[in-house]
Amino acid sequence: MRIAVLVPDPDYPEEWRWAYDVEADALASAGAEVEPIPWTAVPADVSSFDLILPLVVWGYHLDYPRWLELLDRAQAERWPMLNPPALLRWSSDKAYLTELADLGVPTVPTLAAEACCDADLEEARRRFESDWLVIKPPVSASATGTHRLGPNDDLPDDSRGRPMIIQPLIEEIAKTGEFSLMLFDGELSHAVVKQPAPGDFRVQPHLGGVTMPAHATPVAERLAKRALAAAPAHATYARVDIVPDDSGVLRIMELELIEPALFLDHAPDGGAAFTRAIMSALETVREEPLADR
């Protein structure tokens, strides 16, 4: 079987092999021939691939229209893509957090601003009863465009007049970190905790954050499954980021359904559950195109 894993554009500045290699090795151990293909240079004919996995499409947020065009093509040409294009499209815009909240899923409180301005910050501070805020673009990754704002901070120029999501700053992240639960075919595989560098609130490794194995509590597992159940399509692979708020209530920070680092190096089974889910989907796609699911 041949599997294409979509990876960053050659000009993408961050190191990505650490995420790709462990996933590709897990698939190769099941007998797959794995080929990395830049998501910005997918060939016209992909019919030789049994599955297409956008597992490392890092940088899609930097050329969002091109990413949406790729998803449109995948759906029109009925690619055997996991996760399916409709789910990837929904997950690309973090405004989905407001949808989850409307469905009763505990999420980090989120205000979506179409053209962010000072009045939006004032509304967020009033609504969240918090002087400290975090703002980020709704289409983003690697903490790009993310800012922490105190009570007297002005709206940054790169955020003004742009679509942004606004959330209260959760101080607990600096103390306990952000928990990531990996689920394959909806079942928990393993978990990690990501902690920011001292004085920071962002947990990404390139910003000094550290990642360690963690135990997922039954409450966290139930929350992750509840959030996935509210998504518009089945997720073969998912990373659910959960944080405790300052009152200790667990809340969804993000559903990473596109290109999440899955931290298979921390999986007790070495990634076997990941591989089983992908192979199971391969059997399914032979019976029912994923574009129809």
Side-chain angles (χ1 to χ4, degrees), residues 173-198:
I173 293 177
K175 302 174 185 176
T176 61
E178 174 183 306
F179 294 89
S180 290
L181 280 62
M182 269 53 68
L183 294 93
F184 304 126
D185 267 343
E187 294 301 320
L188 177 67
S189 167
H190 59 287
V192 298
V193 60
K194 298 173 289 183
Q195 296 180 328

Side-chain angles (χ1 to χ4, degrees), residues 90-115:
W90 176 81
S91 184
S92 296
D93 188 326
K94 292 181 179 61
Y96 66 74
L97 289 169
T98 61
E99 296 181 33
L100 294 180
D102 289 342
L103 293 172
V105 178
T107 64
V108 174
T110 300
L111 172 66
E114 291 296 322

Side-chain angles (χ1 to χ4, degrees), residues 44-84:
D45 184 4
V46 297
S47 61
S48 64
F49 293 104
D50 298 289
L51 282 178
I52 299 174
L53 308 178
L55 286 172
V56 202
V57 291
W58 296 1
Y60 76 88
H61 62 294
L62 302 175
D63 197 347
Y64 191 50
R66 191 174 186 176
W67 168 242
L68 293 180
E69 288 175 3
L70 185 69
L71 294 181
D72 289 343
R73 177 187 164 193
Q75 195 149 20
E77 297 179 6
R78 301 165 70 87
W79 289 1
M81 177 179 270
L82 294 175
N83 286 315

Side-chain angles (χ1 to χ4, degrees), residues 110-112 122-130:
T110 300
L111 172 66
E122 294 174 7
E123 168 64 15
R125 289 189 174 103
R126 183 194 64 77
R127 183 183 301 185
F128 303 146
E129 298 181 348
S130 175

Side-chain angles (χ1 to χ4, degrees), residues 207-222:
L207 298 172
V210 296
T211 301
M212 298 173 290
H215 170 70
T217 66
V219 174
E221 181 178 352
R222 287 195 295 270

Side-chain angles (χ1 to χ4, degrees), residues 243-259:
V243 295
D245 67 16
D246 296 337
S247 298
V249 176
L250 294 182
R251 297 184 178 275
I252 298 294
M253 172 71 79
E254 287 188 29
L255 289 184
E256 295 279 5
L257 308 180
I258 303 173
E259 32 67 273

